[in-house]
Structures are given as C-alpha cells and as structure tokens.
Amino acid sequence: MIASTSSRTFTRSLLGCSSCASPRRTLLPPLPHLAISSTRLAIGGPHQSRSSSSSGPAGMPTVATSSLLSTTREAALHTHGLRWRDDESIHPPTKDPDGNIVPGSVPTFVEPSAEDLISVDQGGRETKKMNLYQAVRDAMAITLSKDSSSVVFGEDVNFGGVFRCTMGLADEFGKPLIRALRAPPGSERVFNTPLTEQGIAGFGIGLATMGKTAVAEIQFADYIFPAFDQIVNEAAKYRFRSGDQYNVGSLTFRSREPLSSRDACGDDGADYYFARLGYPSACMAVGHGGLYHSQSPEAYFLQAAGLKVVIPRSPIQAKGLLLSAIRDPNPVIFFEPKILYRSCVEQVPVSDYQLPLSSAEILQEGSDLTIVSYGPPLYTIEGALHLLANPSEDIQSLVPRDLRGLKVELIDLRTIMPYDIETVVNSVNKTGRCIVVHEAGKMGGVGSELAAEIQQRCFLKLEAPVQRVTGWDTPFGMIYEKMYLPDQVRVVSHVSRSEG
Amino acid sequence: MLSRASQVRVLASVARTTPRAPRTAARQSDARSDAASLSLSYTKALFSTSRSSHLFPLTYLSHSPVFLDKVASPDSSDVIPAFRLLDGQGHVLPEVPEEWKKQLEEVPEETWVKLYKSMMFLPALDTILASSQRQGRISFYMTSYGEEGAVVGSAAAWSPTDEVFAQYREVGVLVWRDYPLSDLMAQVFSTVSDKASKGRQMPVHYGSPAHHFHTISSPLGTQIPQAAGAAYSLKLSPERKGDCVICYMGEGATSEGDFHAGFNMASVLGGPVVFFVRNNGFAISTPAAQQYKGDGIAARGPGYGIETVRVDGNDPLAVYLASKEARRRAVEGQKPVLVEAMSYRVGHHSTSDDSSAYRSTDDVFSIKKLDSPLFRLRSYLEARNLWSSELEEATKVEQRKSILRAYAGADKEKKPAWEEMFGGVYGDREDGGLERHLKEQKMEVKRLIGKWGESDMWKKDLERHDGGIEAVKKW
C-alpha cells in the first residue's frame, strides 16, 4: 500500500495534511509540532541550538542541530516510508522436499500504525538514541540474529572495525573456531579477511552464490577499486549471464564514503571523531582525508547494470536502507558517509524495519526551486538555505533580497542506482528549476546523469539550466578541501544564479 | 625448519618429462630418455611439500637453532616432480609401489571405461563444433585437445555434488557429469533452449546448478576467490558436510591478482576446496617461460600454506588418483589443496587464434603422437581387456551420431525471445516487474521495432528470435 502511494502524498498523510489522500486509520496520527508547516525543515525559524561548533554565522544549522534528524520518538516512528519486519527469521527461506527454495517466500511487512506510538510498556515501539555507526551495527546485529546464513567480514571487522560498526558482533554471533591450536581468535560468522579488496569481493560473491547472506566491508570507498573487476564484471552480471540460474543477490558491500567538509560538523566534531577512533594512521590528519580517504566513487558504478548503489543521510536511514540492501535480491553497494558516523545522532526505532530502495525522499516541499542531493551535502544545503533566508551582514549585499523567501524543495535521492527519477521530475515540473549537489567531481558524475534526464523530461517546464554544484574535476587535494567541496556559500551562489 | 625445506628440494631433483616447459625441454634433447629417471622419483612426489614446515608463525623460526651461513637463493635446477603411474605407452611403471597399484585395482572397471569414453567424447565434440565455427554457424569455440586426461581424469575424482568453478576449457567435467548434449548445443548455438545463459554469453560459457557447475565467465581468475568463498560457505553448512569446491584455472590465469587473493583467503579462512591448475604451457601465445620464473604453480602452494601435488596431466590414472587424494585431504582438513596438472595445449587457444603463428606445427604433432592421454589410457585399458578396437569404432560412431543429432537440433532452433535482453539484469521487484529505467528502455525497443521492424535492416534478425516481431508487439 505504502509502496504504491506517491512519496509526497505519503509524507503529507503522515504529517496529517487534510487536503491529501485520506490517511488510513491504521496509519500514525499527525505529528503535532510539524502539522503547521508541513515541512521538515524550519528554515528561518529559531533553531533550538544544541552546542554548535560550526564555523559560519551563529544559528546556522549543522549536523548536530539539523532539523533533518528525528530527535524524538514520535518523529522517529513517523519516518517516511518505514515498514516493520516483525518476522522472527528472514532467512534461510523455506525449501520444498526437492531442496528448491519456495518461490516468493513473501516478506511480511507490517505497516506503521497508531499503536506504535503508545508507550513501550503497553506494546508501543521503542526507539533509542543512536549515531550512524551504531545504527549500522544495529542493522547487522538484526541480520545476524534473524538470518542464520548471514556472515559479516572484511578487514579488521573482528575487533569491531576501524569505525566501530561491528563492535561486539563477533562475540555475540560467532561460534568460536575449533581449529588449529594457534588459530587467531575470531568467529565463523563475523571475521577478518586478509588485506585484499578483490579477494573480499570475490569471496563474498562465492558465499552469495551458495545462498549465504554476505555482508562484505571495504574499509574505505577509496579502496574499492581493486575490487572493481569483481564488482562490475562479476557481481553485477552474475544473474544476467547465467540465465538467472545463479545470482549474488544476497551480497552487500558496505563502504565508507567521503570525509565531507569540515563545515558539516565543525572542526571540533572532526577532531573528536578521529581522536576517539584512534585510527592508527598518522597521515590521516584531522578532518583531512586527502586523496584516498575522501572519495565519492558512486558514479563509477552507475554503468554497472545489475548493481544497486545506496547512500543514507542519517542513522534512521542507515539502518532501514541497509536492512533493505541486505535483503534486496541484488548486489548492493552501501556507502556510509563516514563524517556522519559519530556526528549524526537521532532516535532510531529498535525494531527491525526497512526503508524502500530506489525511492527518493522529499525532505522539504517548495515551489520555486528543486535541490537534489544525497549524503552529507544535504546538511550543507540545509545550512545554505538558512544563510539564504538570514544572510549575515557581511554577505547581505551578495544575496538578493527577493531570494530570502524562496521556497526550495529539497530531495534526498538515497538510492543512486537505480535512482528515483519520478520524484525528481515531478518536483522540477512544479518548480521549473533544479540544482544537483554532490561531493564527487562534476564530469560523468551523478549530477550529469540527473541533469540529462531532467532536461529531457522537463524541457518545457524548465526556466533555467539545470545546475551542478559538485567537487572539482581534480583529485581530492588535502589542504584544499574547503574550496574543493561544495559548501554553503557555493550553494547559495548557485541558487542566485538559478533564479536569474 | 630450513633443513626440512631443503629436504623438499631434494625430492625435486628430477625434472618432469611432460615436454611442455620450454625451460625443461631445452635441457632435454630426448624427452623419452628421461622417462626412466623420472620414474625413480614418483614415490615421494605425491604431496612432496610438508605442511608443518610453513605453518609455524615466524616467531618460531626466530627461536630455531638453525642459522643461515650464506645468502639463500632459489636453485633453478630444483623442480618438483610430477606424479605419474603410466609411461608414454600406457604401461604401469614397474616402480609404482604396491599401495598405489592397490588403489588402481580398487577403482571399479566401469570408472576407467567411462573415463575413457568421456575423454573420447571431447575430440569428437571439438572437431564438429570447431568446424561449425569455421562455417560461421556458431560465433566462437574453444577446444580441449590435449587436456582430456587432466580435465576428465580429475572430474572423475570429484563427488557429483561438488561445486565446480571452471575457467572455460573444462567442458570435460560436464561431459563426465552427463550434462545433456542438447543443453550444451543450446548454449553454443544461443538457442531458445539455452538454460545456461539464455543466449547472453558467448559459446562455451556453460553453467548448470543441477550439475553443480557454476556459470563460466570470461574474466580470468575471478573464479578463484569466489571458490574460496564457496568453500567457506560449505564449511558453514552442516547439510553439505563431505562436499567440496573444485576450482579450475590455467597457468596463465594464475598470474592474475585474484589468484593470490583466492589462494591466500582459502588458506587463511579454510573450507574444503581443490584448486586444479591446468598447466598446458601456453596462455594464448605466451609460453609458460614468459608467464613465471619459478617452478610452475605447484611451487607456490607451500608459500600460502597449501598442500600441493604436481601430476602428469597426460596420465589420466595419475590425475584421477592424485585428485581423489587431494579432495580427501581438502574435505577432511576443511582446507585448500592444490593440484597442478602438467599437460600441453594441442589445439589453438580458440577459434580466433592460429597457434602456428607462435609455435611450430611439428612440435604439436610430435606431442600429439608421443604423449596422448587418450592413447595412454586406451592402451592401459586394452592391456586389462577392458577395451578393444571394435569398441573403439562403435563408440566413435555412436558419439558422432549423437553429437550430430544434437547439433542439427540446435542449428534449427530459434534464438531466445528478445525479451530476454532485459531480463535478469536485476532480480524481480516486489511488484514482479523490471526496474524503472529498464522498463522504459524496453518500451523504447518496442516502439522502434513497431516502426522499423519490417525494414530490410532489421526484419531478418528480428524474426530469427522466438516469437519474432509479433512477440515484441505484445510487450
């Protein structure tokens, strides 16, 4: 039901907009504090400022204060598109006497209902404050406990991972190895691999083609390229080339996405993040990933038909999308924005739930301009829109006055491939203007793909060229990060250009 | 430790006779004269590398009382000998110890006969399909000439439910497993009955879950870490206890990074897998001497902590017994074992290759004549009265007939429906359909065919497929 409802209608029905499709009785009641504005972002309104260490004008939202995050249980349970998976075991699927998998072992999704909101004691759904890495860990813990065929592996995952995403999983879910006396401590379902990305990818394919649920970790997205052949030539094409006889649908790659800008979480945030990590690499300076700890390689995989690419923006999204990715019948690359691992905190439902792939989400409705992005730049855009509405004195002369009331529609693409063009096109047909923002370079990037599709599908409605605000077509130079990444100023600058 | 390692080298003092390695061949003016000296070493040849010598952590070495008194360097004259039981004429070598003779006798006679028949089938199939490629009836083909003994001999040693990851020159495994000839032809001809790839892959890219034969892909070496993952999966699956993963590759593919990744992962993470290397002396035009400088592939096994055996690939009996032993150790130890089979690629690399451009035709003929796995096994079987000229002729005729029948059937069949071009890229969505962009592109194809389908440019091609233009119009 929800899947077939247009995303925007659903947003509204959840938010209790009476002019839209009548909300089903079982659906959640409206959120009181959002019912008035019917938007998630309250740009220009007073921000309940938590300790913000951002550079930039006071009051500008950061990841720590973002209204994109659900800070209350109610808001978390109202997450757009969420569906519960209360089944006790997801895998292995039931088999007939011949040992064949019964086709259509139908997933039993449970729609959100008002009952979720009653107190936890009385059977309501629980939520817990989590940051992004905890949400990722939670998703993997659910997978390991419900799916007896699932395994989690990669470099250094056994002790918890260099980003803590697999903390405690080996102890909790792995049987100890009863092997050679000097076998390293570890487990059979959560384990370290030798340091070989092509090996990890190929190994995962081997597991998946034998019916195991394989969650492979590539330590940094920058190091996914040695596995490019296995991912593009093998994983992506496995089902197609074997006439559907074999597939690696139960394979998921998790990988760390760009460092993102320091502005997104502030110097202190980045500092804290790395200090706590204890990542034993001297060259990995505070907030500066340089060439090989910063890349956003999603566009390289756009041409790999058969593959899905997903990038979440927050803990709730990370958990729901990762569970969908793991259970999707296709190999999925799940890029986790590592700048958000610790800086991004919200209330996350404790139960097992999924969020739909290939479905963009409208974070804020507007009628003048569409901005499409994914991952950390969404917080940059949030800050930019604040700047646009409340320019500080030093830039007031640069921000045209008539732009201050601009109504921007902000879209989180979430799935990069296959992406949800319908939501984007509906929006651009309404607003007539579009800007795509991402950290990766411009040429051949996701923005190029979107811009081409938008101009083809919205030609008659477009009032300005589609713009791309992206990283430059250079490698990610370490000390140049500030000017390399699209920041709030660049977004504002493009908004003014877009408006003529 | 070091002294033990040098013991291993001592075992390797005799060069292999299989005259494939140019390095060896250069030293041997007459390959046959070496046969006698090789036979002396076979007793110690099987599993000549000691596992314990390389499994101790380095710290143990540092406590060892053995010190180096000179800079160690690999002695290039040390060559791991190849295990063999039959001489070039198919006679069991006199020095074969009783235990191996006993093992030979324990093998049911039908196994040897089926082995020979399956080996015979390969050149019969290859001759017909290679020439059909020359006639333009199929686009591409790769023969197994010269490697019948290595491939079928090993296939006979696996359990029928062992998971096979192949490179591309291992159709003998499918023949051994009674893969229907009609399915084989359907794949090669890309017909509507092609279950293996629905017409999506080039010829000889077979695959069949029913035969536990994972679909072949062209990129070399990619199957090696995949086999390591599959082996780990078997280790985790109590219901598959006793099964093994088999991974074939050529000696050229072992130069890929995936070889290193796969061998190391399999060794470190465990799981039953036999890596079977067909060392046939050539990777297309590149002779093995330009592929590696060490002692072939077998010498690398111990470096990964993998038990290893080198076997004479043109001796089907030796291949069979060595493979069986390798498999036993892999399953019992839940670990990888490496088999390197020395043989010679008698045929061209593929139908797109003319090997006379880089090797002398005389060499090929002399190897065909002097060291044919078919000849060796046939003469062994005849000595045991299990085979005769009459059986040989009758089997040849029967095999040729069945191949031509399947050939004619596949040649007449339609190609798969155009719909299959878009199918299987992704798994079905929850609503059962294609992903959005593929649905749109499929409709674009429908529109184009609706408009241009009857034109001379397209009509003939479109009609060759199941349902033709009419089926497309119903999309």
Side-chain angles (χ1 to χ4, degrees):
Chain A
M1 174 67 195
I2 286 177
S4 61
T5 313
S6 95
S7 51
R8 197 169 341 136
T9 313
F10 184 58
T11 312
R12 283 194 183 161
S13 65
L14 272 187
L15 297 170
C17 172
S18 56
S19 65
C20 296
S22 60
R24 294 199 300 146
R25 262 208 330 217
T26 52
L27 290 181
L28 304 179
L31 266 184
H33 66 286
L34 284 177
I36 306 159
S37 71
S38 92
T39 60
R40 296 206 61 173
L41 294 177
I43 305 298
H47 255 287
Q48 316 138 321
S49 188
R50 279 170 275 171
S51 62
S52 164
S53 55
S54 155
S55 56
M60 189 166 80
T62 67
V63 176
T65 59
S66 170
S67 62
L68 296 178
L69 300 171
S70 300
T71 50
T72 64
R73 173 170 174 253
E74 285 70 26
L77 294 176
H78 275 87
T79 296
H80 161 72
L82 175 149
R83 293 185 298 169
W84 306 110
R85 287 297 298 272
D86 291 339
D87 2 19
E88 276 178 22
S89 124
I90 302 278
H91 202 266
T94 39
K95 289 186 179 175
D96 66 18
D98 297 333
N100 300 316
I101 292 166
V102 175
S105 316
V106 191
T108 48
F109 288 107
V110 178
E111 305 294 334
S113 72
E115 283 175 14
D116 297 337
L117 285 168
I118 58 179
S119 79
V120 177
D121 302 340
Q122 291 172 307
R125 304 270 181 178
E126 194 185 350
T127 64
K128 211 174 135 189
K129 199 169 164 183
M130 291 184 201
N131 61 26
L132 196 134
Y133 85 68
Q134 288 162 335
V136 167
R137 188 215 176 270
D138 198 36
M140 285 192 284
I142 287 173
T143 302
L144 285 162
S145 65
K146 283 189 166 190
D147 177 350
S148 60
S149 76
S150 59
V151 288
V152 172
F153 57 96
E155 294 155 15
D156 306 303
V157 305
N158 191 40
F159 87 108
V162 296
F163 291 100
R164 304 288 159 100
C165 290
T166 52
M167 282 298 280
L169 292 180
D171 294 337
E172 204 174 332
F173 297 101
K175 282 178 294 183
L177 279 183
I178 310 167
R179 291 202 8 224
L181 279 175
R182 289 186 204 85
S187 83
E188 296 203 321
R189 291 179 63 206
V190 183
F191 53 93
N192 287 346
T193 64
L195 207 162
T196 165
E197 283 77 15
Q198 64 198 99
I200 291 167
F203 193 85
I205 291 169
L207 282 166
T209 189
M210 299 283 287
K212 300 284 182 220
T213 300
V215 185
E217 178 179 306
I218 305 286
Q219 209 158 68
F220 290 87
D222 311 65
Y223 306 129
I224 205 166
F225 298 110
F228 203 68
D229 183 41
Q230 284 285 357
I231 293 172
V232 173
N233 270 335
E234 297 289 317
K237 301 174 173 47
Y238 220 99
R239 183 191 295 274
F240 182 79
R241 75 180 188 210
S242 66
D244 305 2
Q245 291 193 121
Y246 284 101
N247 71 79
V248 293
S250 55
L251 174 64
T252 307
F253 295 102
R254 294 175 42 246
S255 190
R256 283 66 194 255
E257 261 281 284
L259 252 182
S260 186
S261 91
R262 285 184 293 153
D263 298 314
C265 75
D267 287 333
D268 294 349
D271 204 346
Y272 170 78
Y273 162 68
F274 282 108
R276 283 284 298 277
L277 251 177
Y279 190 76
S281 168
C283 63
M284 202 165 174
V286 178
H288 294 48
L291 275 73
Y292 306 112
H293 294 81
S294 309
Q295 292 181 63
S296 305
E298 59 274 5
Y300 286 100
F301 297 100
L302 276 184
Q303 288 226 324
L307 205 64
K308 292 192 176 182
V309 180
V310 178
I311 304 180
R313 69 166 185 277
S314 74
I316 290 182
Q317 299 291 317
K319 179 175 170 183
L321 290 172
L322 180 54
L323 283 167
S324 290
I326 289 171
R327 292 159 184 170
D328 189 81
N330 298 288
V332 182
I333 303 185
F334 191 81
F335 286 120
E336 294 158 12
K338 57 183 173 286
I339 190 74
L340 304 179
Y341 269 140
R342 286 166 183 279
S343 61
C344 195
V345 180
E346 62 185 347
Q347 289 289 330
V348 178
V350 171
S351 321
D352 182 358
Y353 67 92
Q354 287 181 220
L355 294 171
L357 301 188
S358 290
S359 158
E361 183 183 359
I362 298 170
L363 301 180
Q364 169 186 305
E365 294 191 29
S367 50
D368 301 331
L369 166 69
T370 301
I371 301 185
V372 184
S373 188
Y374 49 87
L378 289 164
Y379 300 98
T380 308
I381 296 163
E382 187 189 14
L385 296 183
H386 175 87
L387 214 57
L388 196 69
N390 316 284
S392 51
E393 252 173 56
D394 55 327
I395 59 166
Q396 270 180 5
S397 61
L398 299 170
V399 182
R401 189 160 286 277
D402 58 351
L403 288 187
R404 301 204 181 153
L406 194 73
K407 295 188 186 65
V408 172
E409 185 143 302
L410 179 57
I411 296 178
D412 178 2
L413 202 57
R414 298 199 292 189
T415 302
I416 308 303
M417 183 70 198
Y419 56 86
D420 174 6
I421 194 69
E422 281 161 16
T423 302
V424 175
V425 162
N426 286 343
S427 172
V428 178
N429 276 339
K430 182 176 69 175
T431 62
R433 292 178 166 86
C434 184
I435 299 177
V436 185
V437 186
H438 57 67
E439 290 188 9
K442 182 178 276 186
M443 289 179 78
V446 174
S448 315
E449 169 63 24
L450 284 175
E453 282 292 320
I454 291 166
Q455 71 84 17
Q456 195 173 9
R457 291 165 193 256
C458 310
F459 186 67
L460 294 176
K461 301 282 181 141
L462 279 175
E463 291 169 42
V466 178
Q467 295 196 55
R468 291 169 286 165
V469 190
T470 67
W472 307 116
D473 289 317
T474 69
F476 201 111
M478 188 186 76
I479 207 68
Y480 311 104
E481 192 169 304
K482 170 76 182 166
M483 277 302 148
Y484 176 87
L485 287 173
D487 72 344
Q488 289 86 344
V489 171
R490 279 177 59 196
V491 174
V492 168
S493 179
H494 275 265
V495 170
S496 348
R497 233 200 278 173
S498 176
E499 288 300 303
Chain B
M1 300 307 129
L2 291 171
S3 59
R4 216 177 298 178
S6 58
Q7 272 177 16
V8 173
R9 290 218 193 95
V10 175
L11 299 179
S13 56
V14 184
R16 60 204 156 195
T17 44
T18 316
R20 49 131 297 271
R23 191 153 52 89
T24 319
R27 285 204 305 271
Q28 298 171 351
S29 50
D30 182 355
R32 272 176 297 179
S33 74
D34 254 25
S37 60
L38 175 120
S39 62
L40 295 176
S41 69
Y42 66 89
T43 45
K44 289 169 181 166
L46 189 62
F47 299 103
S48 58
T49 56
S50 139
R51 186 163 193 259
S52 57
S53 65
H54 40 72
L55 273 196
F56 287 109
L58 207 55
T59 47
Y60 275 74
L61 283 182
S62 66
H63 291 291
S64 153
V66 179
F67 296 93
L68 285 177
D69 55 0
K70 57 173 181 172
V71 177
S73 69
D75 182 345
S76 60
S77 66
D78 284 359
V79 176
I80 297 172
F83 176 65
R84 76 189 317 209
L85 301 167
L86 293 179
D87 69 12
Q89 302 305 309
H91 305 133
V92 177
L93 291 159
E95 301 87 351
V96 170
E98 285 309 312
E99 55 165 320
W100 291 111
K101 280 188 183 155
K102 205 169 142 237
Q103 283 216 35
L104 274 184
E105 278 154 26
E106 277 168 9
V107 179
E109 291 175 349
E110 316 77 274
T111 304
W112 296 134
V113 175
K114 184 181 175 190
L115 180 57
Y116 183 61
K117 279 187 177 172
S118 304
M119 283 169 61
M120 274 180 75
F121 191 84
L122 292 180
L125 180 75
D126 287 349
T127 307
I128 290 168
L129 286 179
S131 61
S132 82
Q133 192 278 336
R134 288 286 178 258
Q135 296 161 15
R137 288 175 182 273
I138 58 174
S139 57
F140 179 79
Y141 193 68
M142 298 178 105
T143 64
S144 303
Y145 296 127
E147 295 180 70
E148 300 91 346
V151 175
V152 188
S154 58
W158 320 133
S159 137
T161 50
D162 284 350
E163 302 286 336
V164 173
F165 286 77
Q167 182 166 303
Y168 47 60
R169 217 182 289 284
E170 294 92 359
V171 70
V173 177
L174 284 170
V175 170
W176 174 265
R177 291 187 173 184
D178 300 320
Y179 184 58
L181 194 44
S182 52
D183 286 5
L184 190 149
M185 289 292 171
Q187 202 286 323
V188 170
F189 279 82
S190 304
T191 73
V192 67
S193 321
D194 172 21
K195 281 186 282 201
S197 68
K198 293 195 177 164
R200 293 169 188 154
Q201 286 217 82
M202 284 172 78
V204 312
H205 289 56
Y206 311 104
S208 169
H211 299 83
H212 299 272
F213 193 93
H214 290 248
T215 306
I216 290 167
S217 72
S218 308
L220 285 186
T222 48
Q223 77 278 20
I224 306 170
Q226 292 171 10
Y232 194 84
S233 155
L234 284 185
K235 189 173 90 167
L236 293 185
S237 309
E239 74 278 9
R240 298 288 305 264
K241 198 167 173 267
D243 277 345
C244 192
V245 172
I246 315 298
C247 179
Y248 285 94
M249 69 207 79
E251 92 283 355
T254 67
S255 297
E256 291 284 357
D258 276 338
F259 164 88
H260 167 64
F263 270 53
N264 197 34
M265 290 191 93
S267 181
V268 169
L269 296 165
V273 53
V274 175
F275 292 115
F276 193 98
V277 177
R278 298 177 291 97
N279 191 335
N280 63 18
F282 287 93
I284 306 188
S285 74
T286 306
Q290 289 165 20
Q291 199 67 246
Y292 50 75
K293 192 89 166 75
D295 178 21
I297 316 306
R300 296 183 204 165
Y304 292 106
I306 294 179
E307 271 198 288
T308 299
V309 63
R310 172 173 286 157
V311 60
D312 180 345
N314 290 351
D315 177 348
L317 304 190
V319 171
Y320 175 78
L321 287 188
S323 302
K324 205 146 183 96
E325 175 67 4
R327 184 188 180 282
R328 185 183 71 76
R329 295 191 188 207
V331 171
E332 282 176 11
Q334 293 286 295
K335 64 174 190 182
V337 177
L338 166 62
V339 181
E340 182 184 25
M342 311 308 294
S343 119
Y344 190 88
R345 197 194 76 214
V346 171
H348 303 298
H349 165 70
S350 73
T351 49
S352 311
D353 171 53
D354 174 10
S355 65
S356 67
Y358 49 81
R359 63 183 187 184
S360 109
T361 325
D362 289 348
D363 285 358
V364 179
F365 276 125
S366 69
I367 277 147
K368 259 171 95 171
K369 221 168 126 189
L370 295 177
D371 198 12
S372 151
L374 280 154
F375 173 73
R376 280 209 219 174
L377 184 55
R378 180 181 170 181
S379 105
Y380 172 76
L381 292 182
E382 284 179 348
R384 285 184 62 176
N385 286 325
L386 295 173
W387 199 250
S388 65
S389 303
E390 294 76 48
L391 274 172
E392 177 88 7
E393 275 317 302
T395 310
K396 255 188 192 158
V397 171
E398 183 203 326
Q399 287 184 339
R400 201 179 146 74
K401 261 191 195 160
S402 65
I403 293 167
L404 286 174
R405 205 166 34 235
Y407 176 99
D411 199 24
K412 279 202 293 282
E413 265 200 294
K414 288 268 188 190
K415 305 300 172 200
W418 284 103
E419 190 156 25
E420 295 298 349
M421 182 165 73
F422 289 103
V425 179
Y426 291 92
D428 282 348
R429 289 161 50 94
E430 262 179 56
D431 60 16
L434 295 176
E435 294 291 335
R436 185 267 312 160
H437 62 295
L438 292 179
K439 209 184 302 173
E440 286 174 6
Q441 290 172 19
K442 193 174 159 187
M443 289 304 117
E444 174 74 0
V445 169
K446 179 183 177 182
R447 187 186 70 76
L448 286 166
I449 289 178
K451 186 171 175 187
W452 303 92
E454 302 291 343
S455 73
D456 287 348
M457 289 291 288
W458 282 10
K459 191 171 184 353
K460 250 170 87 181
D461 288 298
L462 288 172
E463 289 300 346
R464 201 170 295 152
H465 288 251
D466 195 34
I469 298 172
E470 290 313 307
V472 174
K473 284 181 180 162
K474 286 187 202 126
W475 286 358

